Amino acid sequence: MRPELICPAGTPAALRTAVDAGADAVYCGFKNATNARNFPGLNFTPEELAQGVQYAHARGAKVLLAVNSFPTAGRFDLWRDAVDTGARLGVDAVIVADIGVAAYVAERHPGLRLHLSVQAAASSPEAIRYYVREFGVRRVVLPRILTVAEIRQVKKEIPCEIETFIFGNHGLMVEGRCSLTNYVTGLSTNMDGVCSPAAQVHYDKEPDGCVATRLGDFTIDRFGPDEQAGYPTICKGRYHVPARDDAYYAFEEPVSLNLAELLPQLIEAGVEAFKIEGRQRSRAYVRQVVGNFRKAVDQVLAGEAPELADLVALTEGQKQTVGAFGSKKWR
Amino acid sequence: MTGLAQAKSGAAGAGRFLPPPPLFLLQPILRRVVRRVAQLHPNLFDRLGPHCNARFVIDAAELPFVLLLVPDPENLIFRAVSRRGEPESDARIRGRFFDLLGLVDGAEDGDALFFSRELEITGNTEAVVCLRNALDDVEGSIAEDVAGLFGAPGRAILAALRRAGNRRGKSR
Ligand code: SF4
């Protein structure tokens, strides 16, 4: 079995870059709240998606449309339109999290492949089988909380494909349930599609060269002049807590997932697709990460030891981890 | 997440890279450059959305001046301003010259420069994220488009700058 390499595309140029660098499929979203990377200046218009689908298909690559945020009452039309438009433009699958959206795809577009987003946080065979049975889900994107041994076991108990993250953001909250941003900014990662909206992020340079990161009214970190930085997300902030003298990373340090060294084990465990996170990243990131993983996956499949370029310069906080995939004790 | 952010304040001090040029000589060149980019990449403005009226100050640490950019298709402004008379801005982007060139060239990742503190952003973060995404969606290289404006000498200068940038990247 040859696993697919699923690559991020935040813009049409990034889509073309990913395809040219060896992506088997790219995933992308529309310029609205229907996907979990609803960032300013990012994503696709229907016209851009049509051109992207054409470009990818002409080169043998697939396009997966992320419609993976959760509609609230009265806003379902936006999600329905996203699905209908994707189907009309010939995307190869839609990635959904909400059961209403999943049901809509299953009923109205029974021929359209349905993938279950990591945002659905389905990690048990029972939950995954439910989605397969009720909506005909063909692939589940697993949350980043399972060890390779657990993935191998899950694979034996489910009748659908598995996709795992192999590089990028190291999300640890129960996916699709985190309300930290909502608490601070009033906007929801899961329903508005944006964590730490840029309009509410401020970097204040202090006279001593430190930089304070503020989200809304809250200071969430302060970097010394020579410290590495991370994303301005609450989960990667440093806080004063009664049990500690210094401010510390109460949830998680700025660190990125990099499973390059586990590729052989993941392939052996039966993982059908590897996902690279980073629709908010640049073409330079896409070119470098996709190119490197393309080579590494092909080498593993050819029975060779993968040569892995050092990608640490691209990682958050300039640090990488195999996270829970290696052990449940990564912190 | 927004991506992008803040640079080492210790980036090379202002003015170590070039002798101060008479700014009035630079202005017509910069005007030509920005008009050319706008002409070649009209879609760029769509990604800027409401921020096309924003005033960006771009501070390449080694240059003796800063650049003021207002990416308004109706009234494009791109001009050099002396550091002493830096204008009010909505957002300020500071980094080393070669890193900023790499960003415009599609060769550098803005988030990675942020993580390593080589890129500094203050002011309206959303406007900067829009500008970054707009520039990153430009196919090919804006730097090459600009160099092409000046024919063979322009391309030779860009090639020399890229070589110098690569040497710097390797020695980093
Ligand atoms: S705060 Fe962290 S865990 Fe929560 S949605 Fe944002 S990135 Fe994810």
Side-chain angles (χ1 to χ4, degrees), chain A residues 98-331:
Chain A
D98 178 75
I99 51 173
V101 180
Y104 180 78
V105 176
E107 285 158 20
R108 293 298 177 86
H109 303 283
L112 185 56
R113 214 178 140 88
L114 197 52
H115 291 187
L116 190 65
S117 169
V118 69
Q119 285 281 98
S123 55
S124 68
E126 289 77 9
I128 297 166
R129 283 199 300 263
Y130 171 82
Y131 282 102
V132 173
R133 191 176 63 238
E134 294 301 318
F135 310 113
V137 159
R138 308 274 294 277
R139 177 183 296 175
V140 58
V141 184
L142 287 181
R144 287 157 272 198
I145 53 164
L146 301 174
T147 61
V148 176
E150 286 172 327
I151 292 172
R152 188 181 294 114
Q153 188 55 39
V154 168
K155 177 67 197 162
K156 287 184 190 144
E157 297 181 39
I158 60 170
C160 73
E161 297 170 4
I162 283 183
E163 181 171 315
T164 59
F165 282 88
I166 49 166
F167 191 86
N169 187 31
H170 187 219
L172 295 171
M173 304 293 169
V174 179
E175 314 244 11
R177 313 285 195 271
C178 176
S179 292
L180 291 172
T181 276
N182 202 344
Y183 174 73
V184 168
T185 69
L187 286 172
S188 161
T189 308
N190 308 311
M191 291 174 279
D192 298 299
V194 59
C195 175
S196 289
Q200 299 199 42
V201 173
H202 299 278
Y203 298 107
D204 301 323
K205 180 101 175 262
E206 299 175 353
D208 59 359
C210 290
V211 171
T213 308
R214 273 191 299 120
L215 181 63
D217 294 334
F218 294 83
T219 299
I220 58 173
D221 210 341
R222 188 166 176 275
F223 299 103
D226 293 315
E227 271 187 302
Q228 304 295 325
Y231 280 119
T233 53
I234 301 172
C235 63
K236 307 273 175 78
R238 254 181 300 195
Y239 306 97
H240 289 285
V241 295
R244 305 276 292 230
D245 294 335
D246 298 335
Y248 92 120
Y249 292 109
F251 300 100
E252 175 60 305
E253 296 175 19
V255 62
S256 291
L257 187 74
N258 185 352
L259 298 191
E261 65 187 69
L262 296 182
L263 280 178
Q265 294 175 48
L266 289 165
I267 292 174
E268 183 268 321
V271 173
E272 277 95 350
F274 294 128
K275 182 171 222 133
I276 294 169
E277 185 272 346
R279 284 197 278 141
Q280 74 284 8
R281 302 293 291 263
S282 65
R283 278 181 294 149
Y285 167 96
V286 169
R287 192 183 308 117
Q288 210 177 326
V289 178
V290 174
N292 273 295
F293 273 98
R294 174 76 279 153
K295 202 168 124 198
V297 169
D298 289 348
Q299 283 170 329
V300 175
L301 292 175
E304 299 163 17
E307 274 169 44
L308 295 156
D310 190 1
L311 297 173
V312 77
L314 292 167
T315 58
E316 189 177 3
Q318 314 260 287
K319 268 191 277 178
Q320 47 194 7
T321 177
V322 295
F325 290 82
S327 147
K328 290 275 165 108
K329 296 180 183 161
W330 75 94
R331 277 206 79 190

Side-chain angles (χ1 to χ4, degrees), chain A residues 16 195 201 224 231 281-282, chain B residues 1 109 111 117 125 136 139:
Chain A
R16 290 188 284 270
C195 175
V201 173
Y231 280 119
R281 302 293 291 263
S282 65
Chain B
M1 289 175 287
D109 178 67
D111 287 12
R117 311 288 302 282
T125 311
D136 204 64
E139 204 74 81

